[in-house]
Amino acid sequence: MLDLIIRNANLPDGRTGLDIAIQNGTIVDVGPHLNAQANREIDATGLLATPPFVDSHFHMDSTLTYGQPRLNESGTLLEGIELWGELKPHLTVESIKARAMELCHWAVARGTLAIRSHVDVSDERLLAVNALLEVREEIRPYIDLQLVAFPQDGYFRYPPSAANLERALDLGIDVVGGIPHFERTMAEGAASVKILCELAANRTLRVDMHCDESDDPHSRHIETLTFHTQRLGLHGRVTGSHLTSMHSMDNYYVSKLLPLMAEAQIHVVANPLINITLQGRHDTYPKRRGMTRVKELLEAGINVAFGHDAMMDPWYSFGSYDMLEVAHMGLHVAQITGVDQMRQIFEAVTFNGANVLGLEGYGLEPGCNADVVILQARNPQEALRLKPARLFVIRRGIVIAETPPVISRLELEDKKIEVDFRR
Ligand code: FE2
């Protein structure tokens, strides 16, 4: 007797009408009309079953602080950083934990069961580090939470960051972060990339830097990050987050850069909601979109994932932590609307994110972890269009969240009509 069987599901790769058999937290079989019995059976009725959504770039220490201690009046990136600096003295471990746990509950409800969160280490007390390390352990049964030591105020520009970052790694933070474009000079930015990559190589850790989050076409720290990744043999373990300056770079330069990034197996994380909101602020018209070159990166064979980045915090006032909202914005901003391309966009918030984090056992094949989300949509394109309810969220074979189907019931004179926006 199996623990759970999901009947008649469609998969993100286009296969339809499959059953998924689950035993001891693992997927043991996938196929049509499996001859098996289970303690619990879920009829997916031809809807989409996907591995969980992955948010490969978030800031859990600042989320849900909207309005504290004041609003971001200009709505800009730099006022956001200023505002975070004003808020930091008022933070406590308890308040950070409470907000992070609330965010995790939203994540489970949305079927997002893996998150990479940057943690600000430009703080001698390391409050956010201590708080989020506790959250990582408490939420482990439900969410894979990976933490990045992020020197928000600069590695060199804020001198205590160097020691704080090492302390954070000693305490168990998973990934080495950085912010080279925020250093005082291009040279200091490049030097920070070198030191931080060497630190990661010495500790056999992954790297994920906020890199070139700017409209300046000469912000080329991704070139340096790619070089040191290749030099130190960190292939497949390094992520460039944002890379918004690539939007504005010279095409000839990019034609040299992309193959080098592919060679070093650099991962790229774009943050569509935040990039379209914060970039291009110095432009009048035409106004640049600012998001990195998602289509061209994918065509070069580079792994591109999407992150939510910020939500109801000093940088971004919106959001309900829906990775399909992120993907929806991403496909519009990147103009990725071809049929096969849309499937790639769905992968940017699922499989590609799992690659960024290096998750093991991710997927819907036999032997994978039994982590499955059933959506009120039949395929990835419909999911991107509707951002539908997550009917069932399953972690290691156990249903940990359910949402009833969202259906509007109309009464028009003598007719009763149900609308769920599917065709
Ligand atoms: Fe970020």
Side-chain angles (χ1 to χ4, degrees):
M1 182 76 83
L2 296 166
D3 295 330
L4 173 67
I5 192 159
I6 300 165
R7 297 284 189 194
N8 190 19
N10 294 348
L11 304 193
D13 62 12
R15 287 181 289 164
T16 59
L18 297 183
D19 298 348
I20 302 169
I22 291 166
Q23 181 76 22
N24 296 328
T26 303
I27 295 171
V28 292
D29 202 359
V30 178
H33 311 295
L34 293 181
N35 184 17
Q37 286 197 318
N39 289 323
R40 183 168 184 184
E41 188 163 317
I42 294 174
D43 185 356
T45 66
L47 296 173
L48 179 61
T50 175
F53 295 107
V54 179
D55 181 1
S56 40
H57 186 118
F58 195 64
H59 295 261
M60 214 179 260
D61 48 4
S62 55
T63 195
L64 301 175
T65 58
Y66 178 69
Q68 299 173 22
R70 61 177 176 86
L71 295 173
N72 182 337
E73 294 295 338
S74 66
T76 60
L77 172 62
L78 291 180
E79 187 177 341
I81 293 174
E82 208 174 291
L83 188 49
W84 177 237
E86 290 172 31
L87 178 57
K88 265 200 258 189
H90 305 292
L91 295 175
T92 63
V93 169
E94 291 69 32
S95 69
I96 297 167
K97 270 190 78 177
R99 286 186 285 96
M101 288 306 289
E102 186 174 1
L103 185 279
C104 287
H105 296 157
W106 292 20
V108 170
R110 291 294 194 194
T112 300
L113 302 187
I115 302 170
R116 176 180 277 183
S117 175
H118 296 252
V119 189
D120 186 2
V121 297
S122 301
D123 168 22
E124 283 63 78
R125 303 164 301 167
L126 293 184
L127 288 186
V129 168
N130 288 310
L132 292 186
L133 283 170
E134 288 181 26
V135 170
R136 187 181 69 184
E137 295 316 307
E138 286 177 29
I139 207 68
R140 194 183 290 279
Y142 315 107
I143 291 177
D144 296 303
L145 175 57
Q146 210 174 68
L147 300 173
V148 185
F150 173 48
Q152 170 80 71
D153 297 339
Y155 183 77
F156 290 123
R157 189 166 171 177
Y158 182 71
S161 286
N164 293 347
L165 193 143
E166 295 237 32
R167 280 168 59 213
L169 297 177
D170 290 341
L171 288 168
I173 295 289
D174 307 280
V175 179
V176 176
I179 186 164
H181 58 275
F182 193 70
E183 304 296 349
R184 287 194 166 85
T185 64
M186 290 291 178
E188 290 225 317
S192 76
V193 172
K194 178 173 184 284
I195 287 183
L196 290 163
C197 284
E198 287 170 354
L199 186 61
N202 289 337
R203 291 178 178 251
T204 52
L205 295 176
R206 289 173 177 257
V207 176
D208 187 342
M209 291 196 193
H210 284 66
C211 193
D212 304 325
E213 189 181 4
S214 138
D215 292 317
D216 174 6
H218 301 293
S219 186
R220 294 175 169 188
H221 296 295
I222 181 58
E223 177 187 271
T224 309
L225 185 62
T226 301
F227 170 70
H228 291 297
T229 300
Q230 183 267 337
R231 178 178 71 87
L232 296 163
L234 293 170
H235 299 72
R237 287 164 51 197
V238 175
T239 299
S241 277
H242 289 295
L243 306 189
T244 53
S245 74
M246 193 186 290
H247 187 99
S248 301
M249 284 174 182
D250 171 70
N251 287 335
Y252 188 87
Y253 174 71
V254 172
S255 76
K256 179 193 173 195
L257 177 63
L258 294 186
L260 292 172
M261 291 172 66
E263 178 192 49
Q265 297 166 32
I266 295 279
H267 302 278
V268 173
V269 175
N271 297 293
L273 295 171
I274 308 309
N275 300 152
I276 196 66
T277 305
L278 295 183
Q279 300 306 311
R281 287 287 179 130
H282 292 194
D283 294 352
T284 54
Y285 292 95
K287 188 183 274 288
R288 284 169 287 183
R289 297 171 187 221
M291 193 170 75
T292 196
R293 303 189 188 200
V294 173
K295 195 186 289 187
E296 291 75 12
L297 287 159
L298 287 168
E299 283 168 1
I302 293 163
N303 185 54
V304 181
F306 288 165
H308 203 301
D309 196 5
M311 189 187 71
M312 298 192 73
D313 71 3
W315 295 275
Y316 189 61
S317 313
F318 299 93
S320 61
Y321 210 54
D322 187 349
M323 290 310 295
L324 283 172
E325 186 177 321
V326 172
H328 187 259
M329 179 62 80
L331 80 88
H332 282 79
V333 176
Q335 300 182 326
I336 293 183
T337 49
V339 176
D340 288 338
Q341 290 176 336
M342 277 189 278
R343 192 166 289 156
Q344 287 184 311
I345 290 291
F346 192 81
E347 288 171 355
V349 291
T350 52
F351 291 90
N352 298 2
N355 279 340
V356 169
L357 271 66
L359 295 180
E360 290 177 5
Y362 181 90
L364 292 183
E365 302 306 318
C368 291
N369 294 325
D371 300 345
V372 187
V373 179
I374 301 174
L375 301 167
Q376 193 187 350
R378 275 167 299 191
N379 54 54
Q381 183 177 344
E382 195 167 71
L384 289 164
R385 181 171 67 84
L386 297 178
K387 301 173 278 297
R390 281 64 166 169
L391 303 177
F392 297 93
V393 178
I394 297 160
R395 172 81 166 177
R396 304 296 194 264
I398 296 169
V399 176
I400 59 170
E402 285 187 54
T403 303
V406 177
I407 298 169
S408 299
R409 296 193 168 81
L410 283 59
E411 294 192 26
L412 305 177
E413 294 182 345
D414 58 339
K415 280 187 284 190
K416 292 192 174 181
I417 299 168
E418 292 191 343
V419 173
D420 69 359
F421 306 100
R422 294 196 293 121
R423 292 299 307 276

